[in-house]
Amino acid sequence: MPSSHLRLPLSRRGFLMASAGAGAALGLAPLSAHAHEQRRPFGRYGSPARRLTPKTVYVDPHGHGDFTTVQAAVDAATTAGFTLVIAPGVYRETVSAGVVAPATGQRTEAATEMTWIGASEDPRDVVIVYDNAAGTPKPDGSGTYGTSGSATTLIRTDGFTARWITFANDWLRADHPGVSGTQAVAIKVQGDRSAFHHCRFLGHQDTLYADSFDLGLFARQYYAHCYVEGDVDFVFGRATAVYEHCHFRTLNRTDLTGAPYGFVFAPSTAGANPRGYLVTRSRVSSEAPDAFYKLARPWVPSSDTTAHPMLTVRDTWLGTGIDAVAPYANMRETYPWQSMRFAEYANSGPGAVISVPENRPQLTPETAAGHTRRAYLGDWRPYERT
């Protein structure tokens, strides 16, 4: 089960309405008590006067650190191995980590092996948020952002780790009734060996984009004790990703009158990749009516029509929000979900009841042995780190 921080999550809509004061775009107030200790905004992680290592930099919106924005700190990390210690606050900005050389389009070594730490060790206290959507016009008039461009945070570097941070996109359909591109990504992750511990991902459509840098790279990602919420395809992409002890929550919708409201997972695993998404020892809850959500649908993007989406959900509790009779759907009739690599094993809860067996492909105990975090992540073992 998720950590104690995340067992009773405040939904994104409730989070937005929680406060009308400073930082009201995400309703951050009130912060937890230890977040108000301005004398020690970085907790046990030192300070600019007591720097833990030469490559530790401090971010504080009130000016007590080296930088007041996350992006400025990232820009200062010109070599590998930097750690950003981030003080409590709402950081309303877009952030991009990972340098791409303009001439070749390839990544450079800058910013690899980077770690971001929420100093209070409570993800509710450190929030990185912005409000671009796919259909949001760019300021320079060159069109709209598109799905990838809408991301509040973009991680394009290898060896990235984040702990105790909220990544959010607070763009709302209700505020923009004329916009058709309603995808609004909280974070897009493309790097190999990207790990997130005790983090939150808040959005509506396309919240968590777990992807890779290109088709030829099978990026491994690990999410542990995290909370993710949304409505349409809100965990999606082609990464090899393990979600362990995570809580996925489907949101209510007032713009639709009937089911389905949306889909939790939409993997787009490359056909050559033997490992897609693995959800293990997690839970899926909902604030929507019973059976108004599908567990998943396969995404075969136009840029890769050879994709063979893969999702395994095992040892996971599925709540009443999931349509137990027909938990999967097609995104396009040309690519039926039955031809994809979808499977379940040893799930529980009302949304896991097997009433129509052909709609719920199950692993055998023998095949389930090949669907573990170690099998998916290989020699990279982020779950063994303290």
Side-chain angles (χ1 to χ4, degrees):
M1 290 294 99
S3 72
S4 59
H5 294 135
L6 309 176
R7 285 177 182 161
L8 294 173
L10 188 61
S11 75
R12 180 174 176 274
R13 188 172 289 109
F15 202 53
L16 286 164
M17 299 301 292
S19 169
L26 227 77
L28 189 61
L31 297 175
S32 56
H34 55 272
H36 291 288
E37 293 185 33
Q38 289 302 320
R39 291 176 301 172
R40 296 187 59 200
F42 305 108
R44 65 188 180 96
Y45 294 98
S47 68
R50 298 181 295 110
R51 204 174 299 276
L52 296 185
T53 72
K55 288 190 174 184
T56 302
V57 296
Y58 297 88
V59 186
D60 177 69
H62 306 291
H64 301 294
D66 300 303
F67 305 96
T68 57
T69 68
V70 178
Q71 187 62 64
V74 170
D75 291 343
T78 55
T79 58
F82 270 80
T83 296
L84 275 59
V85 179
I86 307 173
V90 175
Y91 296 84
R92 177 158 287 277
E93 57 178 307
T94 59
V95 183
S96 179
V99 178
V100 177
T104 63
Q106 298 299 309
R107 290 173 296 171
T108 70
E109 292 303 310
T112 58
E113 311 303 326
M114 179 183 285
T115 299
W116 297 3
I117 297 174
S120 70
E121 301 185 4
D122 185 332
R124 296 170 297 184
D125 293 340
V126 176
V127 181
I128 302 172
V129 58
Y130 210 72
D131 60 350
N132 285 330
T136 301
K138 294 181 180 179
D140 62 5
S142 61
T144 57
Y145 281 103
T147 300
S148 293
S150 74
T152 297
T153 301
L154 174 62
I155 304 299
R156 308 190 77 186
T157 182
D158 294 337
F160 178 85
T161 299
R163 298 177 183 273
W164 304 296
I165 296 172
T166 292
F167 300 91
N169 189 317
D170 62 355
W171 189 90
L172 291 173
R173 296 185 189 94
D175 296 337
H176 306 273
V179 176
S180 58
T182 57
Q183 300 89 343
V185 178
I187 188 170
K188 180 175 182 178
V189 186
Q190 295 181 285
D192 184 38
R193 295 178 293 105
S194 298
F196 296 82
H197 303 265
H198 302 281
C199 289
R200 298 193 311 162
F201 306 91
L202 309 182
H204 274 264
Q205 183 172 352
D206 294 6
T207 304
L208 171 55
Y209 196 168
D211 204 45
S212 66
F213 190 69
D214 60 43
L215 283 173
L217 297 175
F218 303 154
R220 295 165 296 174
Q221 299 174 18
Y222 180 67
Y223 301 82
H225 302 280
C226 290
Y227 172 77
V228 193
E229 66 176 32
D231 50 37
V232 178
D233 304 331
F234 63 93
V235 182
F236 72 113
R238 65 175 174 236
T240 293
V242 174
Y243 306 91
E244 185 171 40
H245 296 295
C246 289
H247 183 175
F248 305 91
R249 185 162 177 82
T250 59
L251 299 178
N252 200 10
R253 296 184 65 173
T254 58
D255 58 319
L256 297 179
T257 58
Y261 277 179
F263 315 85
V264 181
F265 302 100
S268 59
T269 321
N273 190 349
R275 308 290 181 186
Y277 285 1
L278 171 65
V279 180
T280 178
R281 294 186 286 180
S282 294
R283 63 182 300 208
V284 180
S285 69
S286 181
E287 65 176 38
D290 291 356
F292 266 51
Y293 273 87
K294 304 291 187 181
L295 185 60
R297 62 178 180 174
W299 177 31
V300 179
S302 58
S303 59
D304 179 22
T305 57
T306 65
H308 195 195
M310 180 178 183
L311 167 70
T312 298
V313 180
R314 60 171 300 169
D315 304 299
T316 289
W317 184 87
L318 305 179
T320 58
I322 297 300
D323 181 355
V325 175
Y328 304 104
N330 300 333
M331 187 175 292
R332 298 183 181 89
E333 295 301 320
T334 309
Y335 306 103
W337 73 264
Q338 293 90 341
S339 67
M340 303 303 168
R341 295 176 285 178
F342 284 6
E344 301 178 45
Y345 182 73
N347 294 321
S348 60
V353 173
I354 303 173
S355 58
V356 183
E358 59 267 31
N359 287 347
R360 309 207 72 148
Q362 301 290 310
L363 300 174
T364 65
E366 292 74 22
T367 55
H371 293 264
T372 64
R373 62 188 186 184
R374 186 165 184 173
Y376 277 58
L377 301 179
D379 59 357
W380 178 54
R381 301 178 186 177
Y383 45 85
E384 294 183 350
R385 298 178 62 182
T386 58

